[in-house]
Amino acid sequence: MAREKYRLDPLARARQAHVERASRSLGEASRAKVAAEQLRKRIEEDALRAESEAKRIRADEHAEVAQVRAADLATYDQWEIRAQSERADREQRLQVAKAGESKEALRERAARAEVERRQAAAQVVERDRERWKQREAQRVEARQETEASEVWRKPSK
């Protein structure tokens, strides 16, 4: 007797494919989030180095203030304006990097939730398949018992 095929096999394969696609998406989102974190950290480190260098230059300039001429003061003012502009630029890049990192973290959470949703849907079909296998095994066993009892009951000639 031909064995019955599980009727939800196509659905099970489709749901497993959805789980795999969602898992790949989660991997991409995780990598993007890590890249965004690394970018933010690099920008923060650059900002710390630049600020440290600016403090050193200011200290040097203040130490030499006794010998300052008007032209030196003008140069110092230009440098200070440029340093403030660079600081504002670094702060803006840091804010953009933090926003990007937050966006990627949200994307990763959404991808993780999608994977979990897809896995749950796939598990529903797998549980149904297990119940089907149990019922199929019970039917086969019942059929075999019936056949065996019929053979036992047949009168021999």
Side-chain angles (χ1 to χ4, degrees):
M1 179 174 217
R3 194 174 142 103
E4 188 178 334
K5 289 179 79 176
Y6 180 59
R7 69 190 185 289
L8 296 180
D9 264 340
L11 178 63
R13 284 192 303 272
R15 289 202 173 164
Q16 189 58 39
H18 289 297
V19 168
E20 291 168 6
R21 272 197 306 270
S23 295
R24 282 191 299 273
S25 178
L26 173 59
E28 292 168 4
S30 293
R31 284 187 293 278
K33 181 185 143 208
V34 167
E37 286 174 351
Q38 291 172 345
L39 175 64
R40 177 192 47 84
K41 287 177 184 176
R42 277 195 313 271
I43 290 172
E44 286 175 342
E45 290 168 358
D46 289 345
L48 287 174
R49 276 194 298 274
E51 194 59 37
S52 174
E53 179 67 16
K55 283 180 182 178
R56 185 190 61 76
I57 291 172
R58 280 189 196 100
D60 290 347
E61 291 292 324
H62 287 295
E64 297 174 2
V65 82
Q67 310 163 28
V68 174
R69 298 176 308 174
D72 292 335
L73 287 176
T75 303
Y76 176 75
D77 286 341
Q78 290 172 355
W79 176 86
E80 190 63 42
I81 290 169
R82 189 179 77 239
Q84 289 174 359
S85 171
E86 290 172 356
R87 184 181 318 118
D89 182 51
R90 283 190 304 273
E91 288 174 4
Q92 181 182 10
R93 285 187 293 136
L94 181 59
Q95 293 305 317
V96 168
K98 285 181 179 180
E101 183 180 7
S102 295
K103 182 185 96 178
E104 294 303 336
L106 285 173
R107 185 172 154 227
E108 181 189 31
R109 280 195 294 276
R112 190 175 309 281
E114 181 68 12
V115 167
E116 291 170 359
R117 188 178 70 75
R118 297 290 184 165
Q119 285 175 336
Q123 287 171 357
V124 167
V125 176
E126 285 306 312
R127 284 192 298 267
D128 184 66
R129 181 192 308 265
E130 291 304 316
R131 288 191 300 268
W132 177 81
K133 284 179 181 179
Q134 290 174 352
R135 287 190 308 269
E136 191 65 22
Q138 290 170 351
R139 278 193 286 263
V140 168
E141 186 177 330
R143 195 170 32 248
Q144 289 172 346
E145 286 178 7
T146 303
E147 290 172 0
S149 68
E150 288 174 4
V151 169
W152 181 260
R153 290 184 194 178
K154 286 184 182 178
S156 53
K157 291 185 181 181

